[in-house]
Amino acid sequence: MRKIIHIDCDCFFAAIEMRDDPRLAGRPMAVGGAPDRRGVIATCNYEARAFGVRSALSSRQALALCPQLLIVRPRFEAYREASLQIRSILQDYTELIEPLSLDEAYLDVSDSAHFAGSATRIAQDIRRRVREQLEITVSAGVAPNKFLAKVASDWHKPDGLCVITPAEVDEFVAVLPVARLHGVGKVTAERLARLGIQRCGDLREWQRLALVREFGSFGERLWQLARGIDERPVQVDRRRQSVSVEHTFDRDLPDLAACTAELPALLEQLERRLTRLDSGYRVGKPLVKLKFHDFTQTTLEQAGVSRDADSYRRLLAAAFTRGGKPVRLIGVGVRLLDLREGGEQLELF
């Protein structure tokens, strides 16, 4: 039985900004791009969230929801420095750490000798040290697997701790809303609701094959998660093969022109994510992903082209012709070359 901790910083970028400039605390604020340049919100504090502001929202929409919102430009170097400090704290408890981003990570403390092997006390101590040393808060989830640890870390946010013991797994998962499952977005949740599935207990009434027939390969995953099953190990040295951002729209985009109009905001988000990569990667070919209104999807990538807006527009147009239907999701990204793996084949020209 594993002991997994999921650590998640509370509104990380905004927390660093409020720490470094106390004048920002107590008022609605966000970190993001300029509204007059199709900027996007990276994160916001809880005062802003009370108005409906959230990450991935356009800065213009955020200001419409909260006219007094203060949007500050991101300082990624400050966030990286804080992330490294947190990583240093985590390494005092285990070497089995899987970072997911600058502000969250999984830890496997199954064999940790700290606090007589108590994952709960380890999580409490991590939260204390981050609060004292960095002056920000983190939430933590403790559970027998990664799926439940991540759900738990969000259970008592902000500045919370939730522990799911092995004996509590079955009861906890049975009443868990299916919308809290990884991979279940708004549309899938609505689709499940139409089938009478609101909670994982409802999912358990479905046969495995019936879920696969209804949802494809994702049906198998739903069957497992509804029973609290997640065998994924904490991957200590997980290297990325790509970086991408995607957005599911509240209303389907009817045509190519509507899809193209959404590209600038998505590309701005992609650029921000690329700034977080370490020097062990080389950015490769661009890619575009489309999911159509009927849930069919296509991904198109092309080597030998530059990573600029025109290239993405051409890829988007080519991908759209594969379906020619209203689009509910657009993703843009790049493939990555891991330079740590050794020889890199250079281009001829």
Side-chain angles (χ1 to χ4, degrees):
M1 184 67 69
R2 295 188 180 110
K3 298 178 183 179
I4 307 297
I5 301 173
H6 181 256
I7 295 292
D8 191 8
C9 298
D10 300 318
C11 58
F12 183 52
F13 295 175
I16 296 299
E17 297 298 339
M18 291 186 291
R19 180 199 67 183
D20 293 348
D21 185 356
R23 294 173 300 177
L24 300 176
R27 60 176 296 183
M29 63 84 57
V31 176
D36 58 346
R37 298 183 180 178
R38 294 182 62 88
V40 176
I41 300 299
T43 191
C44 60
N45 63 7
Y46 289 92
E47 287 82 359
R49 294 181 191 189
F51 289 87
V53 180
R54 53 177 172 77
S55 60
L57 197 69
S58 74
S59 299
R60 183 173 298 178
Q61 288 176 295
L63 284 171
L65 291 170
C66 180
Q68 65 269 45
L69 181 70
L70 177 64
I71 302 177
V72 301
R73 298 291 295 176
R75 298 180 300 133
F76 288 110
E77 286 306 315
Y79 311 148
R80 288 193 195 95
E81 180 181 353
S83 180
L84 290 173
Q85 289 177 277
I86 295 171
R87 179 67 179 267
S88 179
I89 291 173
L90 302 183
Q91 288 172 332
D92 287 341
Y93 302 91
T94 179
E95 295 181 355
L96 300 179
I97 301 171
E98 179 182 337
L100 301 178
S101 61
L102 289 177
D103 61 341
E104 64 175 317
Y106 288 112
L107 291 76
D108 187 333
V109 296
S110 306
D111 299 320
S112 177
H114 291 271
F115 298 103
S118 170
T120 300
R121 293 179 64 189
I122 291 173
Q124 289 172 334
D125 203 49
I126 289 171
R127 294 179 62 245
R128 176 191 63 80
R129 291 180 60 187
V130 172
R131 181 171 56 251
E132 292 177 357
Q133 295 179 31
L134 281 81
E135 301 179 68
I136 62 173
T137 62
V138 299
S139 295
V142 180
N145 59 49
K146 291 166 69 173
F147 153 56
L148 289 172
K150 187 169 177 63
V151 171
S153 69
D154 195 47
W155 209 248
H156 297 310
K157 262 187 169 293
D159 195 18
L161 171 64
C162 178
V163 179
I164 306 172
T165 67
E168 296 168 340
V169 167
D170 189 69
E171 183 179 355
F172 180 90
V173 176
V175 298
L176 186 68
V178 292
R180 303 294 291 266
L181 299 180
H182 178 67
V184 175
K186 179 182 177 181
V187 174
T188 304
E190 291 174 351
R191 185 178 175 190
L192 287 164
R194 289 195 294 270
L195 295 170
I197 302 172
Q198 299 281 354
R199 299 181 181 275
C200 286
D202 303 325
L203 262 179
R204 293 178 183 178
E205 297 177 4
W206 282 60
Q207 296 288 334
R208 187 194 304 233
L209 289 179
L211 286 174
V212 171
R213 281 195 294 267
E214 186 71 33
F215 296 96
S217 59
F218 188 54
E220 172 69 25
R221 182 68 173 156
L222 286 173
W223 188 91
Q224 294 178 341
L225 294 180
R227 290 157 177 77
I229 300 171
D230 183 12
E231 301 297 337
R232 295 173 301 157
V234 169
Q235 299 179 354
V236 178
D237 194 19
R238 188 182 67 169
R239 301 293 286 171
R240 289 178 175 269
Q241 294 182 328
S242 65
V243 171
S244 63
V245 297
E246 58 184 43
H247 182 72
T248 300
F249 300 95
D250 292 334
R251 294 183 178 180
D252 294 336
L253 303 178
D255 50 34
L256 178 58
C259 294
T260 303
E262 300 294 338
L263 263 184
L266 287 167
L267 292 176
E268 183 176 338
Q269 291 182 61
L270 178 62
E271 286 301 317
R272 285 203 303 271
R273 290 201 176 180
L274 290 174
T275 63
R276 306 178 195 178
L277 287 175
D278 62 51
S279 59
Y281 291 107
R282 177 172 174 261
V283 176
K285 54 189 175 182
L287 61 92
V288 166
K289 170 185 173 183
L290 294 183
K291 183 178 289 186
F292 300 100
H293 73 99
D294 58 0
F295 288 88
T296 60
Q297 65 182 47
T298 185
T299 300
L300 186 61
E301 55 191 75
Q302 185 175 357
V305 299
S306 58
R307 189 171 50 83
D308 55 29
D310 286 339
S311 295
Y312 279 101
R313 278 194 287 268
R314 287 192 293 270
L315 281 174
L316 176 66
F320 185 83
T321 59
R322 291 181 171 183
K325 295 170 284 191
V327 171
R328 66 179 305 268
L329 176 148
I330 300 177
V332 296
V334 294
R335 293 297 179 192
L336 297 176
L337 177 66
D338 187 353
L339 301 180
R340 301 195 319 179
E341 292 183 350
E344 172 190 0
Q345 182 169 325
L346 302 178
E347 295 181 2
L348 181 59
F349 299 104

